[in-house]
Amino acid sequence: MSKSKVLVVGGTGYIGKRIVKACLDQGHETYVLQRPDIGLDIDKIQMLLSFKKQGAHLVEASFSDHQSLVDAVKLVDVVISTISGVHFRSHNILMQLKLVEAIKEAGNIKRFLPSEFGMDPARMGNALEPGRVTFDEKMTVRKAIEEAKVPFTYVCGCCFAGYFVGNLSQLGTLVPPREKVYVYGNGNIKVVYADEDDIATYTVKTIDDPRTLNKTVYLRPPENILTQKQLIEKWEKLVGRELEKCSISAQDFLAPMKELDYASQVGVGHFYHIFYEGCLTNFEAGEDGKEASELYPEVQYTRMDSYLKIYA
């Protein structure tokens, strides 16, 4: 079977650049959207040029120019969006509605993967304010996709290792604590962690797979379903010493929330759902869900004890 041509939207972003690499590595003819308003962002320009050197095609199109999006979409079979939804960087989830309109008009797309990758928004109807805006907006995009009858795959279900593993899941830092670590509740809630390169690998594997058409694919590498306490233990074993552990009750964790800035409030809410409610692991995939590591057992995913070695 011939491999689909893929357009990556948001290809210079945190996950996007990995999706581009995975597309190329897996033999897909790969197109990367280049927005004309990139201006003097030298890092992004150089990244785009590096993609081109690796064999990707750059396609100029703008979210403010509908026809340019339609023209870009017509070049490919599959569109993968990795538009940012993190509030402390940039939050553009609803921009994807313009992409859905372009895909609908083009009429040739066999699969669209909107920007998801984290918590399943369909299961976050009772999420705390203001963080629930992330899930509400993702559900707005899903509704538009399904109403337009665009074939889709939703990929979600894990914590990015770069944001949640290297720091032992501490808020406000991306490096491991050396003396004292904060533990959420008893630290025994199961969480799913995944290396971002593995997320990209699994994502790209879904695009030509009939088993994932109009399904939600959950990223749950079995050996990376860990409690925070188990994650801390892996770090302690690696560095050869124990950290002081300070347990935070759910009530104490949420207490200062109203004094924080908006982005921090969103982050606290998301941490609460992951580490106190277990929103990544407290459900079965169900009829409309698939589990990536079961579909693609050949993927040799990174285990978190191995991942932590780069921080030691």
Side-chain angles (χ1 to χ4, degrees):
M1 188 174 71
S2 63
K3 296 198 173 234
S4 290
K5 297 177 183 178
V6 186
L7 173 66
V8 182
V9 179
T12 58
Y14 183 65
I15 285 292
K17 62 189 176 189
R18 293 170 168 87
I19 296 280
V20 173
K21 182 178 184 300
C23 286
L24 292 168
D25 288 349
Q26 292 180 39
H28 293 276
E29 189 171 343
T30 305
Y31 294 75
V32 184
L33 192 80
Q34 177 179 337
R35 289 160 67 177
D37 58 359
I38 199 165
L40 296 174
D41 194 327
I42 188 68
D43 292 331
K44 287 187 177 181
I45 291 289
Q46 291 190 343
M47 196 184 301
L48 287 166
L49 293 174
S50 77
F51 295 154
K52 190 176 178 184
K53 197 181 287 185
Q54 293 166 60
H57 309 282
L58 304 183
V59 186
E60 191 164 296
S62 170
F63 277 87
S64 58
D65 179 353
H66 173 73
Q67 190 57 48
S68 71
L69 284 180
V70 173
D71 292 344
V73 165
K74 282 183 175 177
L75 296 170
V76 298
D77 310 300
V78 171
V79 178
I80 304 176
S81 171
T82 61
I83 283 176
S84 175
V86 233
H87 281 82
F88 62 85
R89 294 182 73 169
S90 58
H91 185 82
N92 299 310
I93 292 297
L94 291 181
M95 279 175 65
Q96 294 177 109
L97 295 174
K98 294 182 177 182
L99 198 50
V100 174
E101 283 301 311
I103 290 169
K104 182 180 176 182
E105 182 173 325
N108 63 300
I109 292 303
K110 296 192 297 189
R111 198 81 65 99
F112 176 44
L113 282 67
S115 185
E116 298 234 353
F117 310 110
M119 292 170 263
D120 181 358
R123 299 178 183 275
M124 300 304 296
N126 296 317
L128 297 172
E129 296 281 9
R132 67 169 297 141
V133 66
T134 303
F135 314 118
D136 290 345
E137 290 183 358
K138 286 180 178 179
M139 288 307 292
T140 297
V141 173
R142 284 192 181 190
K143 184 169 182 281
I145 292 167
E146 290 167 30
E147 285 181 351
K149 295 187 167 35
V150 172
F152 64 84
T153 299
Y154 304 138
V155 179
C156 56
C158 66
C159 288
F160 295 174
Y163 283 103
F164 287 89
V165 174
N167 57 1
L168 307 183
S169 302
Q170 306 295 285
L171 275 164
T173 181
L174 293 175
V175 294
R178 298 285 171 172
E179 305 295 333
K180 181 165 73 172
V181 61
Y182 290 98
V183 178
Y184 305 116
N186 59 15
N188 288 328
I189 293 290
K190 286 188 175 176
V191 178
V192 186
Y193 301 101
D195 179 289
E196 290 84 342
D197 291 329
D198 294 338
I199 293 170
T201 297
Y202 282 123
T203 298
V204 175
K205 279 188 170 288
T206 70
I207 64 178
D208 283 329
D209 188 343
R211 298 172 296 176
T212 62
L213 179 62
N214 296 336
K215 302 282 187 188
T216 300
V217 175
Y218 294 100
L219 301 171
R220 288 180 171 179
E223 290 187 44
N224 289 355
I225 301 173
L226 304 166
T227 65
Q228 188 197 9
K229 192 178 281 186
Q230 287 172 322
L231 184 67
I232 293 166
E233 285 167 1
K234 287 180 184 295
W235 174 250
E236 289 175 330
K237 185 178 178 183
L238 195 60
V239 296
R241 67 174 183 276
E242 280 194 34
L243 303 183
E244 179 191 346
K245 296 169 190 69
C246 300
S247 177
I248 311 173
S249 69
Q251 187 177 354
D252 288 346
F253 183 73
L254 293 175
M257 198 164 162
K258 286 182 179 158
E259 298 159 23
L260 302 172
D261 62 78
Y262 184 84
S264 299
Q265 287 184 45
V266 170
V268 165
H270 291 182
F271 265 66
Y272 173 79
H273 297 304
I274 294 166
F275 293 100
Y276 290 95
E277 293 185 341
C279 70
L280 296 176
T281 57
N282 63 5
F283 63 90
E284 297 300 320
E287 277 182 23
D288 293 326
K290 298 286 182 181
E291 203 285 302
S293 61
E294 289 177 6
L295 292 173
Y296 314 112
E298 70 277 10
V299 175
Q300 296 298 306
Y301 63 86
T302 303
R303 276 63 173 172
M304 291 302 104
D305 45 1
S306 173
Y307 185 88
L308 280 167
K309 286 178 183 174
I310 59 174
Y311 294 90

